[in-house]
Amino acid sequence: MSISIDTLDTPAVLVDLDKALANINKAQHYASEHGFCLRPHIKTHKLSFFAHRQVAAGAVGITCQKLTEAEIMAQAGLSDILLTYNILGAHKLGRLVNLARQVSLSVVTDNLPVIEGYDRVTAGADIPALRVFVECDTGGNRCGVQTAQEALALAQRIIAAPNLCFGGLMTYPASGKQAQADEWLGQARGVFDAAGIDIPAITVGGTPDMWTAGDMRNMTEYRPGTYIYMDRSQVAAGAATIGECALSVLATVISRPTENRAIIDAGTKTLTSDLLGQDGYGHIIGHEDSRITALSEEHGTIRSGEGASLPAIGEKVRIIPNHACVVTNMFDHIYLVSDGKVIDRLPVVARGGVS
Amino acid sequence: MSISIDTLDTPAVLVDLDKALANINKAQHYASEHGFCLRPHIKTHKLSFFAHRQVAAGAVGITCQKLTEAEIMAQAGLSDILLTYNILGAHKLGRLVNLARQVSLSVVTDNLPVIEGYDRVTAGADIPALRVFVECDTGGNRCGVQTAQEALALAQRIIAAPNLCFGGLMTYPASGKQAQADEWLGQARGVFDAAGIDIPAITVGGTPDMWTAGDMRNMTEYRPGTYIYMDRSQVAAGAATIGECALSVLATVISRPTENRAIIDAGTKTLTSDLLGQDGYGHIIGHEDSRITALSEEHGTIRSGEGASLPAIGEKVRIIPNHACVVTNMFDHIYLVSDGKVIDRLPVVARGGVS
């Protein structure tokens, strides 16, 4: 298969294979050079195709955010999965045990009821001990225990469970709060040391701060997700250049109601409403003076800058979205592109499922 | 099938069948009483199941926003479709002609290149004359001709084409600008009258203003979409009560990191980032004092109000989203609920395709 991008019906998601592979290698090289493990988060691409390439490049395994993602990656032959999400409920816990039969599985917790669930379903199950990380809130204000003492108490409860083992600490620091996370984790190490409990691994995430991850003193594993595709918000954060962005949305100008307004067939059901602090809804390649000022569900409004010219009706444009992870999630398929040609069409296998 | 809602894995989209049918009937009753046609926009539900019920209740046909939506609805037996989107490009135009062989099809245009495409593919094709509406920008600042004179010129071009017929005028007025739209359309009628050209139909849309649509003097057909499910933004606009909202998201509290913070398993990949002017990302039924203050991809953060209590870990909550149309688009399936029980699981058949 090698067809022209221009023949694709729009909107379509294009992924430049060469750029994605370069991004995979660059991150792996950085991690290897700085002596930490990489465990890429597949929520960005949701494709076993790229998960296998991340592992082939040197990743120790993958990270999933949803049980369905993990199940689909396991079916596709990925063998080492960290599920960074509290799993609750009898049905999901049953699926979790089933998953632990297939792959080397690690999970997380930040509370007692979740550990009790893991304990209940693994006790007596014919599976290897389930590795459980304790999630720590190091400034992200999402999930995670608030103090090292809480982390220790949960670790002790994990260790006491017959078929659970303590995997270590896990955190997703807010963008720009890496140093704060490192300090939090350092204090936790002190608390665990004092209690005589070893922390086998400390896993940390986030593409925005990945290029300074080597400065962290209390981290053994990093879980970047967006780095494979990069996007406009990562460019704004200094983590990539526009030229390194592998994912773009192909859209067609369907209307030019006024001199300075163009309407494209990409709205919130393509680009999503995610702003992530950006001005407008994406970077239009080759039309840097113009902005995507508004989206409705299937329409995007482009306004031209002073003296800038807008594309004509029927012209196609390529847009680097603000947030790649949510865009790929909107589509059933992405198109793989190399050397300016479409070389394959991949189903986004891990989208659409429950948590 | 009749299972308990509580047994569903989350996040899940629930649609209360009785409320949805009541919403369908209420809108149809209003339209019939005020003497205009209803042509519901199926982009909200993307289900042939509800499209058939809308027609059975009295709708003259359906509206689609994407060619794929129209194709899927045609395959499901819907026979009268208005596609309110400029269709461009050889491949899509070929699909359009194919669609015109199956159903009574109407399309729109707001520019000459689009008409030329319709003209080119229909001339000589063995199909009934394709009905083409001229889209007018009556204040929505999206697509549409800017003046009645432009509309007239396009109508004349449509009339001159051998296998196109002029369907009338179409507009999507911005919320709250119905009177302005009515005035615009009234002036256009004057311009068309003076030119001796009949306007067969004037089709207007939008749930927020639908209950005053009867006040419009220059409208024959109305295209509400969201009205079938309603949502938090429609409640804010006064178009519905919370009790009339048929669509809700079922989510589980997976973490309670602090006294006033609860984390649910519904983030932007469930609720989307659409705010539509609302404060927070949804209305939590039974927890009206608390707000969903932040979303990441698979996490939602709930903050409790002064003195309000938050649900415990493992508890399920139901959320009326800000915008129902984009939420149903995130999921491969919705659960039909009646009398508090799950009665069916329907694939969202028309999601995921190109425009």
Side-chain angles (χ1 to χ4, degrees):
Chain A
M1 179 174 175
S2 171
I3 59 169
S4 163
I5 291 171
D6 278 343
T7 63
L8 296 177
D9 279 351
T10 59
V13 173
L14 312 179
V15 173
D16 187 301
L17 176 61
D18 311 304
K19 291 184 182 187
L21 294 179
N23 290 340
I24 289 172
N25 288 331
K26 182 178 172 183
Q28 186 61 55
H29 181 77
Y30 179 86
S32 303
E33 199 173 50
H34 290 84
F36 61 86
C37 299
L38 213 63
R39 183 181 287 278
H41 205 314
I42 63 87
K43 55 122 187 175
T44 300
H45 53 71
K46 293 182 181 254
L47 300 169
S48 52
F49 175 85
F50 278 128
H52 280 299
R53 269 141 196 88
Q54 288 169 317
V55 170
V60 294
I62 60 168
T63 307
C64 295
Q65 201 75 335
K66 299 165 72 155
L67 191 51
T68 45
E69 289 174 357
E71 288 167 337
I72 287 161
M73 291 297 138
Q75 284 161 19
L78 279 302
S79 60
D80 189 322
I81 298 177
L82 167 61
L83 179 51
T84 46
Y85 212 85
N86 289 341
I87 303 298
L88 279 159
H91 186 236
K92 281 192 181 174
L93 286 168
R95 290 164 55 199
L96 194 72
V97 168
N98 195 39
L99 191 60
R101 291 202 175 90
Q102 304 167 56
V103 297
S104 172
L105 184 65
S106 306
V107 292
V108 303
T109 182
D110 69 353
N111 63 66
L112 214 51
V114 166
I115 298 178
E116 286 164 357
Y118 296 155
D119 184 9
R120 200 165 50 243
V121 291
T122 57
D126 184 24
I127 54 169
L130 182 65
R131 204 176 299 107
V132 184
F133 285 77
V134 174
E135 180 164 0
C136 306
D137 181 355
T138 59
N141 290 318
R142 201 168 69 179
C143 290
V145 296
Q146 301 297 299
T147 65
Q149 285 70 26
E150 283 179 74
L152 177 65
L154 293 185
Q156 288 168 328
R157 177 67 182 79
I158 292 164
I159 291 163
N163 212 14
L164 302 181
C165 71
F166 175 52
L169 304 180
M170 172 261 168
T171 191
Y172 179 71
S175 173
K177 293 194 179 173
Q178 193 175 64
Q180 180 183 330
D182 200 26
E183 192 185 330
W184 199 107
L185 295 164
Q187 288 174 357
R189 279 174 71 171
V191 169
F192 275 68
D193 277 350
I197 293 180
D198 181 47
I199 303 175
I202 303 181
T203 177
V204 175
T207 296
D209 295 315
M210 70 180 294
W211 307 117
T212 54
D215 300 343
M216 291 189 78
R217 302 176 57 166
N218 303 293
M219 179 271 290
T220 63
E221 178 183 277
Y222 207 77
R223 310 182 315 276
T226 315
Y227 83 103
I228 182 170
Y229 288 162
M230 293 298 185
D231 57 26
R232 189 170 175 233
S233 73
Q234 298 294 347
V235 172
T241 63
I242 278 288
E244 286 174 318
C245 292
L247 181 143
S248 62
V249 167
L250 185 72
T252 302
V253 175
I254 56 133
S255 176
R256 283 290 311 278
T258 68
E259 193 58 38
N260 73 343
R261 190 201 314 166
I263 308 294
I264 53 172
D265 58 359
T268 59
K269 285 176 175 171
T270 295
L271 293 166
T272 85
S273 296
D274 274 24
L275 282 169
L276 301 188
Q278 304 304 296
D279 177 25
Y281 295 93
H283 171 102
I284 314 163
I285 297 172
H287 294 274
E288 281 72 14
D289 290 338
S290 298
R291 295 186 312 127
I292 305 172
T293 55
L295 300 179
S296 49
E297 287 164 55
E298 303 290 357
H299 296 84
T301 302
I302 301 179
R303 300 277 182 176
S304 60
E306 197 75 40
S309 71
L310 285 171
I313 292 166
E315 268 187 58
K316 286 180 172 151
V317 293
R318 283 174 74 169
I319 299 157
I320 307 294
N322 290 344
H323 191 188
C325 313
V326 291
V327 170
T328 184
N329 182 58
M330 304 304 281
F331 283 78
D332 287 344
H333 299 88
I334 60 110
Y335 290 92
L336 269 192
V337 168
S338 182
D339 252 346
K341 289 275 189 184
V342 179
I343 57 166
D344 208 351
R345 177 175 183 263
L346 302 180
V348 185
V349 286
R351 70 151 299 286
V354 294
S355 280
Chain B
M1 178 175 175
S2 171
I3 61 170
S4 163
I5 291 171
D6 277 343
T7 63
L8 296 178
D9 278 351
T10 58
V13 173
L14 312 179
V15 173
D16 188 301
L17 177 62
D18 311 306
K19 290 184 182 186
L21 294 177
N23 291 341
I24 290 172
N25 288 331
K26 182 178 172 182
Q28 187 61 54
H29 182 76
Y30 179 86
S32 304
E33 199 173 49
H34 290 83
F36 61 86
C37 300
L38 212 64
R39 183 180 287 278
H41 204 315
I42 63 86
K43 54 121 188 176
T44 301
H45 53 72
K46 292 179 181 258
L47 300 170
S48 53
F49 175 85
F50 277 128
H52 280 300
R53 269 142 195 86
Q54 288 169 318
V55 170
V60 293
I62 61 168
T63 306
C64 295
Q65 200 76 333
K66 300 166 70 155
L67 191 51
T68 44
E69 289 173 358
E71 288 167 337
I72 288 162
M73 290 299 138
Q75 284 161 19
L78 279 302
S79 59
D80 189 322
I81 299 177
L82 167 62
L83 180 51
T84 46
Y85 211 83
N86 290 341
I87 302 299
L88 278 159
H91 186 236
K92 281 192 181 174
L93 287 168
R95 290 164 56 198
L96 195 71
V97 167
N98 195 37
L99 192 60
R101 290 202 174 91
Q102 304 166 56
V103 298
S104 172
L105 184 65
S106 306
V107 291
V108 303
T109 182
D110 69 352
N111 63 65
L112 215 49
V114 166
I115 298 177
E116 285 163 357
Y118 296 157
D119 184 9
R120 201 165 49 243
V121 292
T122 57
D126 184 25
I127 54 169
L130 183 65
R131 203 176 300 107
V132 185
F133 285 77
V134 175
E135 180 164 0
C136 306
D137 181 356
T138 59
N141 292 317
R142 203 169 68 179
C143 290
V145 295
Q146 301 297 297
T147 65
Q149 285 71 25
E150 283 179 74
L152 178 64
L154 293 184
Q156 287 168 329
R157 177 67 182 82
I158 292 164
I159 291 164
N163 212 14
L164 302 180
C165 70
F166 175 54
L169 303 180
M170 171 260 168
T171 191
Y172 180 70
S175 175
K177 293 194 179 173
Q178 192 175 66
Q180 179 182 329
D182 201 26
E183 193 185 328
W184 199 108
L185 295 164
Q187 286 173 359
R189 279 174 71 172
V191 169
F192 275 68
D193 277 351
I197 293 181
D198 182 49
I199 303 175
I202 303 181
T203 176
V204 176
T207 297
D209 295 315
M210 70 181 291
W211 306 117
T212 53
D215 300 343
M216 291 189 77
R217 301 177 56 167
N218 304 292
M219 179 271 290
T220 63
E221 179 182 276
Y222 207 77
R223 310 182 315 276
T226 315
Y227 82 101
I228 183 171
Y229 288 162
M230 292 299 186
D231 57 27
R232 189 170 175 232
S233 73
Q234 298 294 347
V235 172
T241 63
I242 278 287
E244 286 174 316
C245 292
L247 181 144
S248 62
V249 167
L250 184 72
T252 302
V253 175
I254 57 134
S255 176
R256 282 291 311 276
T258 69
E259 192 59 39
N260 72 344
R261 189 200 317 165
I263 308 293
I264 53 172
D265 58 358
T268 60
K269 284 177 175 171
T270 295
L271 294 166
T272 86
S273 296
D274 275 22
L275 282 169
L276 301 188
Q278 305 304 297
D279 178 25
Y281 294 94
H283 171 103
I284 314 162
I285 298 172
H287 294 275
E288 281 73 13
D289 289 338
S290 298
R291 294 185 312 126
I292 305 173
T293 55
L295 299 180
S296 49
E297 287 165 55
E298 304 290 358
H299 297 84
T301 301
I302 300 178
R303 300 276 182 177
S304 59
E306 198 75 40
S309 71
L310 284 172
I313 291 166
E315 269 188 55
K316 287 182 172 147
V317 293
R318 284 174 74 169
I319 298 157
I320 307 295
N322 290 343
H323 191 186
C325 313
V326 292
V327 170
T328 183
N329 182 58
M330 304 304 280
F331 283 79
D332 287 344
H333 299 88
I334 60 109
Y335 290 92
L336 269 192
V337 168
S338 182
D339 251 347
K341 288 277 189 185
V342 178
I343 56 166
D344 208 350
R345 177 175 182 262
L346 301 180
V348 185
V349 286
R351 72 151 297 286
V354 293
S355 280

